[in-house]
Amino acid sequence: MNRRYRKTVIAGNWKMNMTASETKQFAEELKKIMPRAKWCDTLLCVPSCNITTAMKAFKDLRLSVGAENLHYEKSGAYTGEVSASMLKDLGVKYVIVGHSERRQYFCETDQIVNKKVHAALNADISPIICVGESLEQRESGVTEDLIALQVKSALYGVPADKLRRCIIAYEPIWAIGTGKTATAEQAGEVCSLIRAIIRNLYGARVARSVTIQYGGSMNPSNAAELLAQPDIDGGLIGGASLKPEQFVAIINAANQE
Ligand code: PGA
């Protein structure tokens, strides 16, 4: 983390978990233990059908509500999809874009990710742009090239003043939901690489202001070590964000003075 130059952001990603009733129950439990997170921003990205419920339930908690996905078109015949303006109208400030599960199961390409990034930014919503390599890609030595391609493609056409609103999340696919975390050094190294890519594209001043998160089995026992890396400015947390006490423990790790 480097709070001098950029925000630390701890974000939960509930994926396809939690009903509206469970969301309310979660908020009740969270209220009892949620710290005043002075040193980091906190948010939970929830299924779109639960956004309104979550907004109401988390109102007193200083916890923003984000979405997990959006469509890139403004409106139209796209049954089942949700547009940026629909999210904006609900008060959403963050949306996850290009999560590896969306790339893998819903065929999202780098071009689609780029269109979604623009759609979010045009609606004043901060995209949390996910990038990351598979185990095969890591083992065959293409991690750096792949991450560069994903980052450059996602940011294609994004001007510097809008880049400040973007968060990049480095999520190695082999670490997601597997309990296998990248070591702090491995994660830190790729997050530094991402900042270097942004520096080449936008210059040093912009690059140092961008929040870069790590995601992939982040939990209370590894969060502090990961967050101690200079280029890891927060986490995108799946499994552990479904348990109030674990989510709070990670927030506490990021909230050290
Ligand atoms: P995980 O998920 O923390 O359960 O590994 C992270 C993510 O997919 O964003």
Side-chain angles (χ1 to χ4, degrees):
M1 296 185 283
N2 187 335
R3 294 202 193 102
R4 202 166 137 210
Y5 295 120
R6 48 195 177 258
K7 274 197 279 189
T8 301
V9 182
I10 297 295
N13 171 14
W14 274 1
K15 311 192 179 186
M16 198 171 73
N17 294 296
M18 298 290 229
T19 61
S21 320
E22 287 165 345
T23 302
K24 287 185 206 159
Q25 220 176 314
F26 180 95
E28 287 311 312
E29 287 173 43
L30 197 62
K31 264 178 208 161
K32 296 179 201 151
I33 52 173
M34 182 79 176
R36 252 197 97 238
K38 194 172 160 198
W39 299 103
C40 67
D41 286 3
T42 54
L43 68 126
L44 264 172
C45 297
V46 306
S48 39
C49 60
N50 292 344
I51 288 173
T52 309
T53 304
M55 291 256 177
K56 278 193 203 141
F58 301 154
K59 195 168 81 261
D60 305 324
L61 278 173
R62 290 167 158 247
L63 183 66
S64 301
V65 176
E68 298 177 11
N69 184 31
L70 83 169
H71 196 277
Y72 52 79
E73 290 291 351
K74 286 198 170 81
S75 61
Y78 301 97
T79 303
E81 292 292 327
V82 172
S83 73
S85 60
M86 291 172 186
L87 296 177
K88 174 79 183 165
D89 196 55
L90 293 179
V92 166
K93 297 208 172 63
Y94 297 90
V95 61
I96 299 172
V97 173
H99 190 281
S100 62
E101 286 149 19
R102 301 250 11 130
R103 294 180 191 256
Q104 188 180 347
Y105 306 132
F106 302 96
C107 307
E108 283 191 13
T109 61
D110 286 328
Q111 286 66 37
I112 293 176
V113 170
N114 177 249
K115 286 186 186 184
K116 291 186 174 197
V117 167
H118 283 282
L121 289 170
N122 289 338
D124 279 331
I125 298 173
S126 292
I128 301 175
I129 304 165
C130 302
V131 298
E133 81 289 359
S134 66
L135 191 57
E136 293 73 25
Q137 288 163 333
R138 173 162 282 265
E139 284 173 350
S140 51
V142 299
T143 300
E144 292 190 10
D145 292 338
L146 181 90
I147 297 291
L149 180 70
Q150 288 180 333
V151 171
K152 286 181 192 170
S153 309
L155 298 179
Y156 182 73
V158 174
D161 60 322
K162 289 205 171 167
L163 187 72
R164 291 171 198 279
R165 299 206 53 154
C166 298
I167 293 175
I168 314 283
Y170 167 56
E171 298 208 307
I173 299 170
W174 47 273
I176 295 177
T178 56
K180 233 184 185 185
T181 328
T183 63
E185 291 72 30
Q186 281 173 325
E189 200 178 299
V190 180
C191 290
S192 299
L193 167 76
I194 293 171
R195 199 173 307 286
I197 296 164
I198 297 174
R199 195 179 304 124
N200 283 339
L201 293 172
Y202 294 91
R205 216 156 58 97
V206 177
R208 84 181 173 206
S209 70
V210 175
T211 296
I212 301 176
Q213 297 174 320
Y214 167 78
S217 301
M218 193 186 255
N219 61 48
S221 50
N222 60 28
E225 201 190 346
L226 286 159
L227 293 167
Q229 292 289 317
D231 283 308
I232 299 184
D233 311 307
L236 184 56
I237 298 126
S241 73
L242 293 165
K243 303 191 181 86
E245 68 290 351
Q246 292 197 10
F247 190 50
V248 162
I250 296 172
I251 293 170
N252 285 336
N255 200 33
Q256 305 297 329
E257 205 164 322

